[in-house]
Amino acid sequence: QVQVAESGGGLVQTGGSLRLSCAASGRIVNIRSMGWYRQAPGNEREVVASITSGGSTNYADSVKGRFTISRDNAKNTVYLQMNNLKPEDTAVYYCRVITIVYSYWGQGTQVTVSS
């Protein structure tokens, strides 16, 4: 059994900050990458940021310079520091863990940015 649990979402005003955390636990081995995705109502799920086991990162253009992804390999945990939040960042944020054999998703955490 593998569990992926996100935390840290909430309500924040425009320009504010939030930090999301995601921990993978259970029988999980050989994680290749971990990432954050988001889905707003009526939209498709999109990638926000990802980080490999070696530390290479990728970001969506819309969040570059505002969001930072980081990872603690020893704890199988990934973080997303979100600064200067905008109303268009409002969405459910999902964590994804990719191993050499499978991909696991968390249940999601709501982020709401008020104008």
Side-chain angles (χ1 to χ4, degrees):
Q1 293 283 351
V2 174
Q3 295 82 39
V4 177
E6 303 103 334
S7 61
L11 174 64
V12 65
Q13 292 184 334
T14 297
S17 298
L18 284 173
R19 187 184 191 225
L20 305 182
S21 299
C22 168
S25 60
R27 296 176 62 85
I28 187 165
V29 294
N30 294 323
I31 295 176
R32 298 188 66 179
S33 69
M34 302 178 77
W36 291 95
Y37 293 67
R38 66 186 181 188
Q39 187 168 18
N43 292 354
E44 294 185 353
R45 191 172 297 188
E46 61 177 4
V47 61
V48 176
S50 64
I51 184 167
T52 68
S53 58
S56 297
T57 59
N58 278 291
Y59 295 91
D61 288 342
S62 59
V63 307
K64 284 181 180 177
R66 301 188 297 122
F67 292 10
T68 302
I69 190 169
S70 61
R71 177 174 173 174
D72 186 334
N73 288 337
K75 296 181 179 180
N76 288 339
T77 299
V78 64
Y79 307 95
L80 186 68
Q81 178 66 44
M82 305 186 293
N83 298 328
N84 190 22
L85 283 160
K86 304 176 181 180
E88 51 264 41
D89 295 318
T90 295
V92 178
Y93 283 69
Y94 297 90
C95 177
R96 185 183 187 189
V97 179
I98 300 175
T99 71
I100 59 174
V101 294
Y102 202 70
S103 172
Y104 302 91
W105 290 91
Q107 293 295 312
T109 185
Q110 177 70 46
V111 171
T112 303
V113 185
S114 63
S115 57

